[in-house]
Short mmCIF file of all heavy atoms in Angstrom, two decimals:
data_model
loop_
_atom_site.label_atom_id
_atom_site.label_comp_id
_atom_site.label_asym_id
_atom_site.label_seq_id
_atom_site.Cartn_x
_atom_site.Cartn_y
_atom_site.Cartn_z
N ALA A 1 -13.05 -44.85 -32.49
CA ALA A 1 -12.00 -45.57 -31.75
C ALA A 1 -10.64 -45.48 -32.36
O ALA A 1 -9.64 -45.30 -31.70
CB ALA A 1 -12.38 -46.99 -31.52
N ALA A 2 -10.63 -45.58 -33.73
CA ALA A 2 -9.34 -45.44 -34.38
C ALA A 2 -8.76 -44.04 -34.17
O ALA A 2 -7.51 -43.88 -33.92
CB ALA A 2 -9.48 -45.78 -35.86
N MET A 3 -9.61 -42.97 -34.29
CA MET A 3 -9.17 -41.64 -34.15
C MET A 3 -8.65 -41.42 -32.69
O MET A 3 -7.71 -40.73 -32.41
CB MET A 3 -10.18 -40.63 -34.59
CG MET A 3 -10.44 -40.62 -36.09
SD MET A 3 -11.46 -39.26 -36.65
CE MET A 3 -13.02 -39.63 -35.88
N GLY A 4 -9.49 -41.93 -31.75
CA GLY A 4 -9.03 -41.76 -30.38
C GLY A 4 -7.73 -42.44 -30.10
O GLY A 4 -6.97 -41.92 -29.20
N HIS A 5 -7.47 -43.55 -30.74
CA HIS A 5 -6.22 -44.23 -30.46
C HIS A 5 -5.01 -43.64 -31.15
O HIS A 5 -3.91 -43.54 -30.56
CB HIS A 5 -6.35 -45.74 -30.95
CG HIS A 5 -5.21 -46.61 -30.62
ND1 HIS A 5 -5.05 -47.24 -29.44
CD2 HIS A 5 -4.13 -46.99 -31.36
CE1 HIS A 5 -3.94 -47.95 -29.41
NE2 HIS A 5 -3.33 -47.82 -30.57
N LEU A 6 -5.21 -43.17 -32.39
CA LEU A 6 -4.04 -42.75 -33.23
C LEU A 6 -3.94 -41.18 -33.24
O LEU A 6 -2.99 -40.67 -33.67
CB LEU A 6 -4.25 -43.22 -34.64
CG LEU A 6 -4.07 -44.80 -34.81
CD1 LEU A 6 -4.37 -45.18 -36.20
CD2 LEU A 6 -2.76 -45.25 -34.39
N GLY A 7 -5.01 -40.49 -32.79
CA GLY A 7 -4.88 -39.02 -32.73
C GLY A 7 -5.70 -38.39 -33.89
O GLY A 7 -5.93 -38.97 -34.98
N GLU A 8 -5.98 -37.11 -33.70
CA GLU A 8 -6.68 -36.25 -34.59
C GLU A 8 -5.89 -36.22 -35.99
O GLU A 8 -4.68 -36.06 -35.95
CB GLU A 8 -6.83 -34.87 -34.09
CG GLU A 8 -7.77 -33.96 -34.92
CD GLU A 8 -8.06 -32.67 -34.25
OE1 GLU A 8 -7.57 -32.49 -33.13
OE2 GLU A 8 -8.75 -31.84 -34.84
N GLY A 9 -6.60 -36.36 -37.04
CA GLY A 9 -5.96 -36.32 -38.36
C GLY A 9 -5.39 -37.59 -38.80
O GLY A 9 -4.66 -37.69 -39.85
N ALA A 10 -5.61 -38.68 -38.09
CA ALA A 10 -4.94 -39.97 -38.37
C ALA A 10 -5.58 -40.57 -39.60
O ALA A 10 -4.97 -41.37 -40.31
CB ALA A 10 -5.18 -41.00 -37.22
N LEU A 11 -6.79 -40.21 -39.96
CA LEU A 11 -7.49 -40.84 -41.14
C LEU A 11 -8.30 -39.67 -41.93
O LEU A 11 -8.88 -38.81 -41.26
CB LEU A 11 -8.33 -41.94 -40.79
CG LEU A 11 -9.52 -41.84 -40.00
CD1 LEU A 11 -10.79 -41.81 -40.78
CD2 LEU A 11 -9.61 -42.86 -38.86
N ASN A 12 -8.24 -39.87 -43.18
CA ASN A 12 -9.09 -38.96 -44.02
C ASN A 12 -9.85 -39.73 -45.10
O ASN A 12 -10.58 -39.08 -45.91
CB ASN A 12 -8.32 -37.80 -44.63
CG ASN A 12 -7.07 -38.28 -45.38
OD1 ASN A 12 -6.97 -39.50 -45.72
ND2 ASN A 12 -6.18 -37.46 -45.56
N HIS A 13 -9.67 -40.99 -45.09
CA HIS A 13 -10.44 -41.91 -46.04
C HIS A 13 -10.92 -43.12 -45.21
O HIS A 13 -10.42 -43.44 -44.23
CB HIS A 13 -9.51 -42.38 -47.11
CG HIS A 13 -9.09 -41.33 -48.14
ND1 HIS A 13 -8.31 -40.25 -47.81
CD2 HIS A 13 -9.47 -41.23 -49.50
CE1 HIS A 13 -8.10 -39.53 -48.91
NE2 HIS A 13 -8.78 -40.10 -49.93
N MET A 14 -11.93 -43.75 -45.76
CA MET A 14 -12.41 -44.95 -45.19
C MET A 14 -12.95 -45.90 -46.30
O MET A 14 -13.41 -45.40 -47.27
CB MET A 14 -13.47 -44.71 -44.12
CG MET A 14 -14.80 -44.25 -44.65
SD MET A 14 -15.95 -43.97 -43.27
CE MET A 14 -15.21 -42.57 -42.44
N VAL A 15 -12.72 -47.17 -46.02
CA VAL A 15 -13.27 -48.16 -46.96
C VAL A 15 -14.06 -49.19 -46.21
O VAL A 15 -13.60 -49.74 -45.20
CB VAL A 15 -12.10 -48.87 -47.78
CG1 VAL A 15 -11.45 -47.83 -48.62
CG2 VAL A 15 -11.10 -49.48 -46.86
N LEU A 16 -15.23 -49.38 -46.69
CA LEU A 16 -16.12 -50.53 -46.08
C LEU A 16 -15.77 -51.81 -46.76
O LEU A 16 -16.53 -52.32 -47.67
CB LEU A 16 -17.58 -50.12 -46.18
CG LEU A 16 -18.17 -49.13 -45.20
CD1 LEU A 16 -17.54 -47.73 -45.44
CD2 LEU A 16 -19.69 -49.03 -45.30
N MET A 17 -14.65 -52.38 -46.41
CA MET A 17 -14.19 -53.59 -47.05
C MET A 17 -13.69 -54.62 -45.95
O MET A 17 -12.97 -55.54 -46.38
CB MET A 17 -12.97 -53.31 -47.93
CG MET A 17 -13.33 -52.42 -49.07
SD MET A 17 -11.90 -52.06 -50.17
CE MET A 17 -12.61 -50.92 -51.30
N GLY A 18 -13.99 -54.42 -44.71
CA GLY A 18 -13.57 -55.39 -43.68
C GLY A 18 -14.54 -56.50 -43.63
O GLY A 18 -15.16 -56.89 -44.60
N CYS A 19 -14.68 -57.14 -42.47
CA CYS A 19 -15.57 -58.31 -42.29
C CYS A 19 -17.00 -57.92 -42.66
O CYS A 19 -17.52 -56.87 -42.19
CB CYS A 19 -15.46 -58.81 -40.91
SG CYS A 19 -13.91 -59.59 -40.46
N GLY A 20 -17.66 -58.75 -43.37
CA GLY A 20 -19.11 -58.56 -43.71
C GLY A 20 -19.32 -57.98 -45.05
O GLY A 20 -18.42 -57.50 -45.76
N GLU A 21 -20.54 -58.13 -45.49
CA GLU A 21 -21.06 -57.62 -46.74
C GLU A 21 -21.91 -56.36 -46.39
O GLU A 21 -22.93 -56.44 -45.82
CB GLU A 21 -21.86 -58.65 -47.51
CG GLU A 21 -22.88 -58.11 -48.56
CD GLU A 21 -22.18 -57.32 -49.67
OE1 GLU A 21 -21.21 -57.84 -50.20
OE2 GLU A 21 -22.63 -56.22 -49.94
N PRO A 22 -21.37 -55.13 -46.80
CA PRO A 22 -22.12 -53.97 -46.41
C PRO A 22 -23.60 -53.90 -46.80
O PRO A 22 -24.44 -53.49 -46.03
CB PRO A 22 -21.37 -52.86 -47.15
CG PRO A 22 -20.00 -53.42 -47.21
CD PRO A 22 -20.16 -54.88 -47.50
N PHE A 23 -23.91 -54.43 -48.02
CA PHE A 23 -25.28 -54.38 -48.52
C PHE A 23 -26.18 -55.47 -47.85
O PHE A 23 -27.41 -55.46 -47.99
CB PHE A 23 -25.32 -54.45 -49.97
CG PHE A 23 -24.96 -53.20 -50.72
CD1 PHE A 23 -24.66 -53.17 -52.00
CD2 PHE A 23 -24.99 -51.98 -50.01
CE1 PHE A 23 -24.33 -52.01 -52.69
CE2 PHE A 23 -24.65 -50.79 -50.65
CZ PHE A 23 -24.29 -50.76 -52.05
N ASP A 24 -25.56 -56.37 -47.07
CA ASP A 24 -26.32 -57.30 -46.25
C ASP A 24 -26.70 -56.67 -45.00
O ASP A 24 -27.50 -57.25 -44.21
CB ASP A 24 -25.51 -58.62 -46.05
CG ASP A 24 -26.38 -59.74 -45.58
OD1 ASP A 24 -27.56 -59.86 -46.00
OD2 ASP A 24 -25.88 -60.56 -44.76
N ASN A 25 -26.18 -55.46 -44.68
CA ASN A 25 -26.53 -54.73 -43.49
C ASN A 25 -26.94 -53.29 -44.00
O ASN A 25 -26.48 -52.28 -43.45
CB ASN A 25 -25.29 -54.58 -42.52
CG ASN A 25 -25.61 -53.92 -41.19
OD1 ASN A 25 -26.83 -53.75 -40.88
ND2 ASN A 25 -24.62 -53.53 -40.45
N TYR A 26 -27.84 -53.32 -44.97
CA TYR A 26 -28.04 -52.15 -45.86
C TYR A 26 -28.43 -50.93 -45.04
O TYR A 26 -27.83 -49.87 -45.15
CB TYR A 26 -29.21 -52.49 -46.89
CG TYR A 26 -29.39 -51.39 -47.89
CD1 TYR A 26 -28.56 -51.21 -48.92
CD2 TYR A 26 -30.47 -50.58 -47.67
CE1 TYR A 26 -28.82 -50.21 -49.84
CE2 TYR A 26 -30.76 -49.45 -48.53
CZ TYR A 26 -29.87 -49.37 -49.59
OH TYR A 26 -30.14 -48.31 -50.51
N HIS A 27 -29.48 -50.98 -44.19
CA HIS A 27 -30.05 -49.78 -43.65
C HIS A 27 -29.05 -49.21 -42.67
O HIS A 27 -28.97 -47.91 -42.52
CB HIS A 27 -31.41 -50.17 -43.04
CG HIS A 27 -32.41 -50.56 -43.98
ND1 HIS A 27 -32.95 -49.66 -44.91
CD2 HIS A 27 -33.01 -51.77 -44.25
CE1 HIS A 27 -33.85 -50.34 -45.67
NE2 HIS A 27 -33.91 -51.56 -45.33
N ASN A 28 -28.43 -50.01 -41.83
CA ASN A 28 -27.43 -49.43 -40.91
C ASN A 28 -26.25 -48.82 -41.64
O ASN A 28 -25.78 -47.75 -41.21
CB ASN A 28 -26.98 -50.47 -39.91
CG ASN A 28 -27.96 -50.92 -38.91
OD1 ASN A 28 -28.89 -50.15 -38.62
ND2 ASN A 28 -27.80 -52.08 -38.36
N VAL A 29 -25.86 -49.40 -42.72
CA VAL A 29 -24.72 -48.83 -43.43
C VAL A 29 -25.17 -47.55 -44.18
O VAL A 29 -24.31 -46.54 -44.15
CB VAL A 29 -24.26 -49.86 -44.57
CG1 VAL A 29 -23.35 -49.19 -45.64
CG2 VAL A 29 -23.49 -51.02 -43.88
#
């Protein structure tokens, strides 16, 4: 969705630091 909104090349890094604890959703992450 972010790429669709901002356009191709808008991001080249990502951080799993938003809402939630990533390892509490381990298998999906």
